Amino acid sequence: MIEDVEGEELTPEEELELKAPDPDAFTVLSATGSTPIGSFNFSWNGLSFKIPAGCFLTHSIKGSKKKITSQIAGVDCVGPTALAAQFCNSRLEFHYADTNGKTYRIKRGPLNSSCRTGTIPSYKLGAQTLPHYGKACTHLYVASKRRAVQCHNITS
């Protein structure tokens, strides 16, 4: 099942909370992880872009067992990459798979049809209960191609 989900853009306070150490990080199922986004080239609206190394996809999830209370995903770049990276036509998706690796649900965030320098908008999803144990992943798409994935295992 694929759902288009608008999600919510984070407030500046929520952005800080995502980057600050979480005092609840050791509760069951709560986790935050970042995955480096490899450098890549893409074309969009007749223009060519290069994303250099130095950007990261971050995914934070809170909850207990199969109940997710919140999920946040975003992209940040560091150093000179923060000024050089142009993300155009980007989207974050949340994918859920069972313990056999079969994806059973995809929640697609909004398409960011403009270009953003050094980041794309972070988005959060509210509470939900998953029907299966397995994993929850965030996928980053730029110009309709998957560029990075960050996952968390969900176990009893």
Side-chain angles (χ1 to χ4, degrees):
M1 168 176 38
I2 298 176
E3 295 177 68
D4 287 323
V5 181
E6 187 140 327
E8 301 173 43
E9 193 160 346
L10 297 180
T11 65
E13 293 80 20
E14 290 170 321
E15 285 278 354
L16 286 174
E17 180 182 316
L18 179 62
K19 294 174 185 171
D22 181 359
D24 297 325
F26 297 105
T27 60
V28 177
L29 189 71
S30 296
T32 299
S34 291
T35 297
I37 301 168
S39 65
F40 63 92
N41 299 314
F42 69 96
S43 296
W44 184 68
N45 282 348
L47 300 172
S48 294
F49 297 89
K50 178 180 175 79
I51 303 293
C55 297
F56 300 86
L57 172 62
T58 300
H59 178 207
S60 179
I61 188 169
K62 292 182 182 181
S64 179
K65 298 188 179 183
K66 293 188 282 185
K67 182 169 176 55
I68 295 174
T69 55
S70 70
Q71 244 181 133
I72 300 171
V75 171
D76 287 301
C77 300
V78 295
T81 303
L83 300 174
Q86 290 284 322
F87 291 95
C88 306
N89 202 38
S90 62
R91 179 190 308 268
L92 292 170
E93 294 185 0
F94 294 90
H95 291 223
Y96 306 91
D98 62 21
T99 55
N100 293 319
K102 183 175 186 324
T103 298
Y104 61 85
R105 182 182 297 162
I106 298 171
K107 293 190 174 205
R108 296 190 310 188
L111 179 64
N112 301 296
S113 56
S114 62
C115 295
R116 297 277 304 257
T117 302
T119 189
I120 65 170
S122 297
Y123 284 94
K124 66 180 179 180
L125 291 178
Q128 64 178 313
T129 300
L130 302 177
H132 309 284
Y133 288 108
K135 63 183 177 177
C137 302
T138 298
H139 293 232
L140 168 65
Y141 288 84
V142 177
S144 301
K145 185 172 180 190
R146 188 174 64 194
R147 303 299 180 165
V149 177
Q150 206 291 321
C151 296
H152 296 289
N153 291 318
I154 298 176
T155 59
S156 58

